[in-house]
Protein backbone atom coordinates (compact mmCIF):
# COMPACT_ATOMS: atom_id res chain seq x y z
CA UNK A 1 0.00 0.00 0.00
CA UNK A 2 1.10 3.59 -0.63
CA UNK A 3 1.10 4.66 3.01
CA UNK A 4 3.24 1.68 3.96
CA UNK A 5 6.05 2.61 1.55
CA UNK A 6 5.71 6.32 2.45
CA UNK A 7 6.13 5.64 6.17
CA UNK A 8 9.11 3.36 5.56
CA UNK A 9 10.74 5.99 3.34
CA UNK A 10 10.16 8.72 5.92
CA UNK A 11 11.69 6.63 8.71
CA UNK A 12 14.68 5.72 6.55
CA UNK A 13 15.32 9.41 5.79
CA UNK A 14 15.02 10.33 9.49
CA UNK A 15 17.53 7.68 10.53
CA UNK A 16 19.93 8.56 7.72
CA UNK A 17 19.92 12.25 8.62
CA UNK A 18 20.34 11.45 12.31
CA UNK A 19 23.31 9.15 11.59
CA UNK A 20 25.05 11.72 9.34
CA UNK A 21 24.62 14.50 11.93
CA UNK A 22 25.82 12.17 14.68
CA UNK A 23 28.99 11.19 12.79
CA UNK A 24 29.68 14.81 11.78
CA UNK A 25 29.51 15.98 15.38
CA UNK A 26 31.56 13.10 16.78
CA UNK A 27 34.36 12.98 14.18
CA UNK A 28 36.25 16.06 15.53
CA UNK A 29 36.11 14.64 19.05
CA UNK A 30 37.46 11.30 17.89
CA UNK A 31 40.37 12.97 16.03
CA UNK A 32 41.09 15.25 18.97
CA UNK A 33 41.39 12.49 21.56
CA UNK A 34 42.95 9.84 19.31
CA UNK A 35 46.61 10.86 19.98
CA UNK A 36 46.13 11.32 23.76
CA UNK A 37 46.38 8.84 26.59
CA UNK A 38 44.69 5.42 26.76
CA UNK A 39 42.11 6.49 29.36
CA UNK A 40 40.79 9.26 27.17
CA UNK A 41 40.54 6.98 24.15
CA UNK A 42 38.65 4.38 26.21
CA UNK A 43 36.21 7.03 27.45
CA UNK A 44 35.59 8.23 23.88
CA UNK A 45 35.04 4.67 22.65
CA UNK A 46 32.61 3.96 25.51
CA UNK A 47 30.72 7.15 24.71
CA UNK A 48 30.65 6.15 21.03
CA UNK A 49 29.28 2.72 21.92
CA UNK A 50 26.59 4.25 24.14
CA UNK A 51 25.61 6.74 21.45
CA UNK A 52 25.44 4.01 18.80
CA UNK A 53 23.25 2.01 21.22
CA UNK A 54 21.02 5.07 21.57
CA UNK A 55 20.75 5.30 17.78
CA UNK A 56 19.77 1.63 17.64
CA UNK A 57 17.12 2.07 20.35
CA UNK A 58 15.71 5.13 18.59
CA UNK A 59 15.67 3.28 15.29
CA UNK A 60 13.84 0.30 16.82
CA UNK A 61 11.32 2.60 18.50
CA UNK A 62 10.63 4.54 15.32
CA UNK A 63 10.05 1.44 13.23
CA UNK A 64 7.93 -0.21 15.95
CA UNK A 65 5.64 2.81 16.10
CA UNK A 66 5.57 2.89 12.30
CA UNK A 67 4.52 -0.78 12.15
CA UNK A 68 1.74 -0.16 14.67
CA UNK A 69 0.49 2.79 12.61
CA UNK A 70 0.57 0.67 9.46
CA UNK A 71 -1.43 -2.10 11.14
CA UNK A 72 -3.98 0.40 12.42
CA UNK A 73 -4.37 2.03 9.00
CA UNK A 74 -4.83 -1.34 7.30
CA UNK A 75 -7.40 -2.49 9.88
CA UNK A 76 -9.34 0.77 9.57
CA UNK A 77 -9.32 0.40 5.78
CA UNK A 78 -10.58 -3.18 6.09
CA UNK A 79 -13.34 -2.03 8.44
CA UNK A 80 -14.43 0.62 5.94
CA UNK A 81 -14.53 -1.95 3.14
CA UNK A 82 -16.45 -4.42 5.31
CA UNK A 83 -18.94 -1.70 6.23
CA UNK A 84 -19.61 -1.08 2.53
CA UNK A 85 -19.92 -4.83 1.96
CA UNK A 86 -22.41 -5.09 4.83
CA UNK A 87 -24.55 -2.34 3.31
CA UNK A 88 -24.53 -4.12 -0.07
CA UNK A 89 -25.37 -7.49 1.48
CA UNK A 90 -28.20 -6.06 3.59
CA UNK A 91 -29.68 -4.36 0.54
CA UNK A 92 -29.52 -7.60 -1.46
CA UNK A 93 -31.04 -9.61 1.38
CA UNK A 94 -33.96 -7.19 1.66
CA UNK A 95 -34.62 -7.60 -2.07
CA UNK A 96 -34.35 -11.41 -1.87
CA UNK A 97 -36.75 -11.56 1.08
CA UNK A 98 -39.33 -9.48 -0.78
CA UNK A 99 -39.04 -11.71 -3.85
CA UNK A 100 -39.31 -14.87 -1.75
CA UNK A 101 -42.38 -13.48 -0.02
CA UNK A 102 -44.02 -12.87 -3.40
CA UNK A 103 -43.01 -16.30 -4.67
CA UNK A 104 -44.62 -18.00 -1.69
CA UNK A 105 -47.95 -16.45 -2.64
CA UNK A 106 -47.52 -17.52 -6.26
CA UNK A 107 -46.80 -21.11 -5.25
CA UNK A 108 -50.42 -21.53 -4.17
CA UNK A 109 -51.42 -20.91 -7.79
CA UNK A 110 -49.33 -23.92 -8.86
CA UNK A 111 -51.12 -26.41 -6.63
CA UNK A 112 -52.75 -29.03 -8.82
CA UNK A 113 -50.76 -27.93 -11.84
CA UNK A 114 -47.51 -29.65 -10.84
CA UNK A 115 -46.80 -32.72 -8.75
CA UNK A 116 -46.62 -32.47 -4.97
CA UNK A 117 -42.95 -33.51 -5.14
CA UNK A 118 -42.13 -30.66 -7.52
CA UNK A 119 -44.08 -28.21 -5.39
CA UNK A 120 -42.25 -29.34 -2.26
CA UNK A 121 -38.92 -28.94 -4.06
CA UNK A 122 -39.79 -25.37 -5.04
CA UNK A 123 -40.82 -24.54 -1.49
CA UNK A 124 -37.59 -26.00 -0.17
CA UNK A 125 -35.55 -23.93 -2.64
CA UNK A 126 -37.32 -20.76 -1.55
CA UNK A 127 -36.80 -21.55 2.12
CA UNK A 128 -33.01 -21.51 1.58
CA UNK A 129 -33.16 -17.85 0.55
CA UNK A 130 -36.05 -16.76 2.72
CA UNK A 131 -34.64 -15.97 6.15
CA UNK A 132 -36.87 -16.00 9.17
CA UNK A 133 -33.96 -15.91 11.63
CA UNK A 134 -34.48 -13.27 14.30
CA UNK A 135 -31.71 -13.00 16.89
CA UNK A 136 -32.83 -9.61 18.16
CA UNK A 137 -30.14 -7.81 16.18
CA UNK A 138 -30.66 -6.97 12.50
CA UNK A 139 -26.92 -6.74 11.79
CA UNK A 140 -26.25 -10.15 13.30
CA UNK A 141 -29.18 -11.55 11.29
CA UNK A 142 -27.54 -10.27 8.09
CA UNK A 143 -24.17 -11.81 8.97
CA UNK A 144 -25.68 -15.21 9.80
CA UNK A 145 -27.88 -15.19 6.71
CA UNK A 146 -24.99 -14.29 4.40
CA UNK A 147 -22.70 -16.98 5.84
CA UNK A 148 -25.48 -19.58 5.97
CA UNK A 149 -25.82 -19.36 2.18
CA UNK A 150 -22.10 -20.13 1.83
CA UNK A 151 -22.43 -23.01 4.30
CA UNK A 152 -25.40 -24.37 2.35
CA UNK A 153 -23.35 -24.35 -0.83
CA UNK A 154 -20.35 -26.03 0.82
CA UNK A 155 -22.40 -28.62 2.75
CA UNK A 156 -21.45 -27.16 6.13
CA UNK A 157 -23.94 -27.40 8.98
CA UNK A 158 -24.22 -24.01 10.68
CA UNK A 159 -25.93 -23.89 14.07
CA UNK A 160 -26.67 -20.67 15.91
CA UNK A 161 -27.72 -19.86 19.45
CA UNK A 162 -27.53 -16.11 19.70
CA UNK A 163 -28.97 -13.37 21.84
CA UNK A 164 -28.47 -10.60 19.32
CA UNK A 165 -29.88 -8.00 21.67
CA UNK A 166 -26.76 -8.40 23.80
CA UNK A 167 -24.75 -6.76 21.00
CA UNK A 168 -26.93 -3.66 20.72
CA UNK A 169 -24.13 -1.43 22.08
CA UNK A 170 -21.73 -2.43 19.27
CA UNK A 171 -21.58 -0.63 15.93
CA UNK A 172 -22.91 -2.36 12.82
CA UNK A 173 -19.45 -2.38 11.19
CA UNK A 174 -17.86 -3.98 14.25
CA UNK A 175 -20.48 -6.72 14.55
CA UNK A 176 -20.25 -7.50 10.85
CA UNK A 177 -16.44 -7.55 10.87
CA UNK A 178 -15.91 -9.45 14.13
CA UNK A 179 -18.43 -12.24 13.61
CA UNK A 180 -18.09 -12.22 9.82
CA UNK A 181 -14.32 -12.73 9.99
CA UNK A 182 -14.69 -15.49 12.57
CA UNK A 183 -17.25 -17.31 10.42
CA UNK A 184 -15.19 -16.82 7.25
CA UNK A 185 -12.18 -18.43 8.92
CA UNK A 186 -14.37 -21.26 10.22
CA UNK A 187 -15.81 -21.88 6.75
CA UNK A 188 -12.36 -21.91 5.17
CA UNK A 189 -11.08 -24.41 7.75
CA UNK A 190 -14.18 -26.59 7.35
CA UNK A 191 -13.56 -27.07 3.63
CA UNK A 192 -10.60 -29.32 4.47
CA UNK A 193 -12.80 -31.51 6.69
CA UNK A 194 -14.79 -34.51 5.42
CA UNK A 195 -18.22 -33.36 4.29
CA UNK A 196 -20.19 -35.36 6.85
CA UNK A 197 -18.16 -33.76 9.67
CA UNK A 198 -18.36 -30.16 8.50
CA UNK A 199 -20.04 -28.12 11.21
CA UNK A 200 -19.79 -24.61 12.66
CA UNK A 201 -21.35 -23.39 15.87
CA UNK A 202 -22.01 -19.74 16.72
CA UNK A 203 -23.17 -18.61 20.16
CA UNK A 204 -23.76 -15.14 21.58
CA UNK A 205 -24.64 -15.35 25.27
CA UNK A 206 -24.22 -13.73 28.66
CA UNK A 207 -21.45 -15.29 30.74
CA UNK A 208 -20.82 -14.06 34.31
CA UNK A 209 -21.61 -10.47 33.48
CA UNK A 210 -19.79 -10.51 30.12
CA UNK A 211 -21.00 -10.88 26.55
CA UNK A 212 -19.46 -14.07 25.12
CA UNK A 213 -19.20 -14.53 21.36
CA UNK A 214 -17.96 -17.98 20.36
CA UNK A 215 -17.37 -19.60 16.97
CA UNK A 216 -16.38 -23.28 16.95
CA UNK A 217 -15.40 -25.46 13.99
CA UNK A 218 -13.45 -28.60 13.13
CA UNK A 219 -10.10 -28.34 11.36
CA UNK A 220 -7.45 -30.57 9.84
CA UNK A 221 -3.72 -30.32 10.52
CA UNK A 222 -1.93 -28.03 12.95
CA UNK A 223 -2.54 -24.43 13.98
CA UNK A 224 0.19 -22.07 15.18
CA UNK A 225 -1.46 -19.63 17.58
CA UNK A 226 1.72 -17.89 18.71
CA UNK A 227 1.03 -14.69 16.75
CA UNK A 228 -1.98 -12.67 15.66
CA UNK A 229 -2.50 -14.53 12.39
CA UNK A 230 -3.73 -18.02 11.64
CA UNK A 231 -2.36 -19.72 8.53
CA UNK A 232 -4.54 -19.09 5.50
CA UNK A 233 -4.73 -20.67 2.06
CA UNK A 234 -6.14 -17.52 0.49
CA UNK A 235 -4.13 -15.94 -2.30
CA UNK A 236 -3.85 -12.57 -0.56
CA UNK A 237 -2.32 -14.01 2.59
CA UNK A 238 -0.62 -10.76 3.66
CA UNK A 239 -3.94 -8.93 3.67
CA UNK A 240 -5.95 -11.74 5.25
CA UNK A 241 -3.31 -12.04 7.95
CA UNK A 242 -5.00 -9.01 9.51
CA UNK A 243 -8.25 -10.92 10.12
CA UNK A 244 -7.37 -12.03 13.64
CA UNK A 245 -5.67 -8.71 14.41
CA UNK A 246 -8.82 -6.93 13.31
CA UNK A 247 -11.02 -9.11 15.53
CA UNK A 248 -8.74 -8.52 18.53
CA UNK A 249 -8.70 -4.80 17.76
CA UNK A 250 -12.52 -4.64 17.69
CA UNK A 251 -12.85 -6.55 20.98
CA UNK A 252 -10.32 -4.17 22.56
CA UNK A 253 -12.42 -1.16 21.47
CA UNK A 254 -15.04 -2.35 23.98
CA UNK A 255 -12.50 -3.25 26.70
CA UNK A 256 -12.89 -6.89 25.76
CA UNK A 257 -10.51 -9.68 24.81
CA UNK A 258 -10.44 -12.21 21.98
CA UNK A 259 -8.71 -15.57 22.36
CA UNK A 260 -8.02 -18.51 20.06
CA UNK A 261 -7.64 -22.18 20.92
CA UNK A 262 -7.05 -25.32 18.86
CA UNK A 263 -7.40 -28.67 20.63
CA UNK A 264 -8.28 -32.15 19.42
CA UNK A 265 -9.27 -30.93 15.96
CA UNK A 266 -11.61 -28.23 17.34
CA UNK A 267 -10.83 -24.57 16.72
CA UNK A 268 -12.46 -21.97 18.95
CA UNK A 269 -12.62 -18.20 18.63
CA UNK A 270 -13.96 -16.61 21.82
CA UNK A 271 -14.53 -12.93 22.52
CA UNK A 272 -15.45 -11.74 26.01
CA UNK A 273 -16.75 -8.18 26.09
CA UNK A 274 -18.10 -6.31 29.09
CA UNK A 275 -21.45 -4.63 28.40
CA UNK A 276 -21.57 -0.87 28.90
CA UNK A 277 -22.50 0.32 32.36
Amino acid sequence: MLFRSADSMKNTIIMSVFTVVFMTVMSPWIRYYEPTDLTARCIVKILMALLFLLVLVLRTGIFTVSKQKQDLKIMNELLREEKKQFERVKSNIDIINMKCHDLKHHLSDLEGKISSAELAELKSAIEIYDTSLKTGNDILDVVIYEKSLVCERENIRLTCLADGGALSFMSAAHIYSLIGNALDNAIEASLAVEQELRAIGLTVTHNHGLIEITVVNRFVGERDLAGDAVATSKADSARHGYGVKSMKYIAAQYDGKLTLSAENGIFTVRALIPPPA
Side-chain angles (χ1 to χ4, degrees), residues 144-162:
I144 295 172
Y145 177 63
E146 178 192 13
K147 306 309 177 185
S148 67
L149 293 180
V150 180
C151 289
E152 180 76 24
R153 185 185 68 216
E154 302 294 349
N155 295 310
I156 301 172
R157 183 163 52 89
L158 174 62
T159 58
C160 176
L161 178 62

Side-chain angles (χ1 to χ4, degrees), residues 12-211:
T12 301
I13 292 172
I14 290 173
M15 290 310 304
S16 299
V17 171
F18 185 87
T19 303
V20 169
V21 172
F22 171 74
M23 293 304 298
T24 302
V25 172
M26 289 304 301
S27 292
W29 287 84
I30 295 172
R31 289 194 299 268
Y32 179 80
Y33 283 108
E34 192 68 31
T36 61
D37 61 274
L38 178 62
T39 302
R41 289 202 300 271
C42 289
I43 292 174
V44 171
K45 288 183 179 180
I46 291 172
L47 288 175
M48 287 288 293
L50 290 175
L51 288 171
F52 273 117
L53 181 61
L54 176 61
V55 171
L56 182 61
V57 170
L58 289 174
R59 177 189 179 279
T60 303
I62 289 173
F63 280 95
T64 299
V65 171
S66 176
K67 180 64 166 60
Q68 291 172 346
K69 287 182 178 179
Q70 290 172 13
D71 288 348
L72 186 59
K73 287 179 180 179
I74 292 173
M75 286 188 288
N76 284 332
E77 181 187 340
L78 291 175
L79 282 173
R80 284 193 295 270
E81 291 180 1
E82 287 169 346
K83 182 180 179 181
K84 292 178 182 178
Q85 182 182 347
F86 162 72
E87 292 168 351
R88 289 194 299 268
V89 169
K90 188 177 186 306
S91 177
N92 291 336
I93 288 174
D94 290 341
I95 294 172
I96 290 172
N97 282 333
M98 285 189 294
K99 295 296 182 182
C100 288
H101 183 73
D102 292 340
L103 284 172
K104 278 185 175 180
H105 288 288
H106 289 305
L107 283 179
S108 58
D109 298 335
L110 295 176
E111 291 184 8
K113 298 179 182 179
I114 61 176
S115 68
S116 57
E118 290 172 328
L119 187 60
E121 187 177 348
L122 286 173
K123 287 182 178 179
S124 177
I126 291 174
E127 289 298 329
I128 293 175
Y129 295 98
D130 183 23
T131 176
S132 58
L133 177 67
K134 297 297 178 184
T135 65
N137 187 295
D138 291 341
I139 298 94
L140 183 58
D141 293 346
V142 169
V143 178
I144 295 172
Y145 177 63
E146 178 192 13
K147 306 309 177 185
S148 67
L149 293 180
V150 180
C151 289
E152 180 76 24
R153 185 185 68 216
E154 302 294 349
N155 295 310
I156 301 172
R157 183 163 52 89
L158 174 62
T159 58
C160 176
L161 178 62
D163 175 11
L167 304 179
S168 59
F169 62 94
M170 294 179 64
S171 74
H174 284 165
I175 294 173
Y176 185 81
S177 180
L178 176 60
I179 299 180
N181 269 311
L183 288 174
D184 282 341
N185 290 340
I187 290 170
E188 183 186 356
S190 297
L191 295 179
V193 178
E194 295 180 21
Q195 281 198 16
E196 60 272 16
L197 297 177
R198 293 178 182 177
I200 297 172
L202 166 66
T203 59
V204 180
T205 59
H206 292 269
N207 184 1
H208 296 91
L210 299 174
I211 308 302

